[in-house]
Amino acid sequence: MVPPIDRFSGHAGLYAQFRIDYPKELYDFILQKVPDRTVAWDCATGNGQVAGALADWFEQVDATDISETQLLLAVKKPNINYQLSPAEQTPFANHTFDLITVAQALHWFDVNAFHQEVRRVAKPNAVIAEWGYGLAQISDDIDSILIDFYRNRVGPYWDPQRKHIDAAYATLPFPFANVEQPTFDVRRMWTLDRFLNYLRTWSAVRQYIHENEEDPVGALGEELIKSWGDGEREIAFPVFTRIGIVC
């Protein structure tokens, strides 16, 4: 099994504060597929935002991550049980979960081993939902600058797994039944400062800073300021999803 990769413990505070959350429409779509809402597993929960949403619908939510720092900062609710665990080998009993979710993290896994674990811990006909989101879209002039930053300035610092996000997970197996692949948008009104702090959560930016002892986001902000202006801009994050039945 491929050793788990932790790219987020070192900036867990930034991650918890500045990462996006997910739209109600996505949760509504998933939940309509899950008639029995007893126990859910949110894998690679990070700051616990998905676990926190599921906790409003399920009697119990088990949420796992390989980052102890992330778990310490995660959303707290009485029916969420956080545990330190890799995706591919968990402490859960066979046939435990009605729903299994993983958001913006599947590309870090040994995917075949994870799906084998899903089959072990899922109840018959449980639902699995995997999703992620691509590069932000703002306006033509800003988007061209952002794409250059993404591909060229910090492009060499992305892990190879990033290609799976760019491909909307089409490059990763999904061996489940009744597969559906809806898309959604996350739309937020952000200031430039808020957007730049989001960019600082990118693993490629953190690696760039680590290797060069310089924050590339500062120079990007100076380049964007004229196009952005003083106020908030609407930012759209395209969300790709795949949902199936474990049987």
Side-chain angles (χ1 to χ4, degrees):
M1 186 177 71
V2 177
I5 300 172
D6 180 2
R7 289 289 186 268
F8 303 101
S9 287
H11 59 287
L14 272 177
Y15 195 95
Q17 187 174 358
F18 294 114
R19 277 286 171 135
I20 67 168
D21 53 4
Y22 301 106
K24 179 179 181 296
E25 292 78 11
L26 181 149
Y27 292 111
D28 288 345
F29 188 90
I30 295 171
L31 290 168
Q32 70 177 339
K33 310 290 182 184
V34 190
D36 186 357
R37 300 175 185 174
T38 305
V39 190
W41 170 29
D42 183 40
C43 183
T45 194
N47 61 19
Q49 61 167 282
V50 174
L54 296 179
D56 293 339
W57 295 96
F58 286 80
E59 294 177 19
Q60 178 181 328
V61 176
D62 288 300
T64 58
D65 204 280
I66 62 169
S67 169
E68 185 174 7
T69 307
Q70 289 261 58
L71 294 181
L72 288 172
L73 296 174
V75 175
K76 303 298 189 293
K77 291 188 177 181
N79 59 334
I80 302 177
N81 177 37
Y82 289 109
Q83 296 190 62
L84 196 66
S85 172
E88 301 87 353
Q89 190 172 5
T90 69
F92 304 125
N94 294 349
H95 312 308
T96 296
F97 298 106
D98 304 292
L99 172 67
I100 297 167
T101 59
V102 53
Q104 195 72 356
L106 182 73
H107 51 293
W108 298 113
F109 299 172
D110 179 332
V111 175
N112 289 325
F114 169 64
H115 286 158
Q116 183 177 351
E117 184 71 350
V118 166
R119 291 187 181 282
R120 184 184 71 80
V121 302
K123 293 178 182 177
N125 298 314
V127 173
I128 177 169
E130 302 172 347
W131 68 89
Y133 59 91
L135 195 61
Q137 299 167 358
I138 304 169
S139 65
D140 289 343
D141 54 344
I142 292 176
D143 290 355
S144 63
I145 297 171
L146 181 61
I147 289 170
D148 179 69
F149 179 81
Y150 174 78
R151 292 178 178 171
N152 299 316
R153 186 67 184 276
V154 301
Y157 299 88
W158 286 111
D159 286 275
Q161 293 91 332
R162 180 69 192 187
K163 66 186 179 183
H164 300 304
I165 290 287
D166 292 335
Y169 286 170
T171 47
L172 295 175
F174 193 65
F176 301 102
N178 300 343
V179 174
E180 296 181 73
Q181 296 179 297
T183 58
F184 305 91
D185 281 328
V186 174
R187 294 186 177 272
R188 298 289 181 265
M189 296 297 296
W190 282 356
T191 63
L192 177 58
D193 184 64
R194 173 67 176 80
F195 180 65
L196 296 178
N197 278 319
Y198 157 73
L199 296 181
R200 290 186 174 99
T201 71
W202 283 4
S203 60
V205 169
R206 307 316 303 178
Q207 188 63 25
Y208 183 104
I209 293 171
H210 174 72
E211 293 188 22
N212 297 283
E213 298 183 353
E214 172 188 278
D215 179 7
V217 174
L220 176 67
E222 293 176 5
E223 191 174 358
L224 290 178
I225 187 69
K226 291 182 180 179
S227 298
W228 194 287
D230 295 329
E232 295 180 332
R233 298 291 297 264
E234 183 180 60
I235 304 172
F237 295 88
V239 179
F240 54 88
T241 314
R242 54 191 197 177
I243 300 172
I245 303 297
V246 185
C247 56

